[in-house]
Amino acid sequence: QVQLVESGGGSVQAGGSLNLSCQASGYTYRTYSRYSMAWFRQAPGKEREAVAGVDRDGITEYADSVKGRFTISKDITGDILYLQMNNLKIEDTAMYYCAAGPAEVAWWDEGGYPYWGRGTQVTVSS
């Protein structure tokens, strides 16, 4: 069972930056690098949406709303997933979740990810 724990959320003014982290652990952690990973977010009253994904080969994908502002990456061990968020906007306010899934998952498809963290809150104010 893979466990995912997010951190790094907080409150920031519009235009500011945050760097989210997602620590993976569990009996499969040594094969963690074989998983596709992604960040999702859910704002109050809205459905959860895909923000960014990275596959086992390091290929990244982004939602149009965050392209050019957010960067997804993994550390060299593959055990930590990051989301660097720059030029934050009020509409980026949401609970951010880390997800892990098999290599063949479509990065935006939340149903394809069996492993989820509990989330970290990001609040952007004017």
Side-chain angles (χ1 to χ4, degrees):
Q1 183 74 16
V2 173
Q3 291 90 40
L4 304 173
V5 179
E6 303 94 336
S7 62
S11 297
V12 64
Q13 287 189 322
S17 299
L18 285 173
N19 189 24
L20 305 185
S21 299
C22 172
Q23 175 71 59
S25 62
Y27 78 89
T28 61
Y29 82 98
R30 292 189 183 276
T31 62
Y32 182 72
S33 61
R34 301 180 187 176
Y35 283 84
S36 290
M37 304 289 297
W39 288 97
F40 287 76
R41 68 185 181 187
Q42 187 169 22
K46 295 187 177 181
E47 294 186 352
R48 189 155 55 186
E49 63 176 356
V51 176
V54 56
D55 69 11
R56 62 179 179 178
D57 297 320
I59 296 174
T60 58
E61 301 280 357
Y62 297 92
D64 288 343
S65 60
V66 306
K67 281 181 181 177
R69 300 188 297 121
F70 291 10
T71 303
I72 188 171
S73 62
K74 292 193 290 186
D75 79 321
I76 192 170
T77 67
D79 289 345
I80 305 177
L81 182 71
Y82 299 103
L83 185 67
Q84 176 65 43
M85 306 186 295
N86 297 326
N87 191 21
L88 282 160
K89 303 177 180 181
I90 293 175
E91 52 264 39
D92 294 319
T93 295
M95 184 72 79
Y96 283 71
Y97 299 90
C98 172
E104 63 271 17
V105 68
W107 78 272
W108 43 264
D109 180 13
E110 67 174 287
Y113 293 92
Y115 305 114
W116 291 83
R118 293 189 175 184
T120 185
Q121 177 67 39
V122 171
T123 303
V124 185
S125 60
S126 59

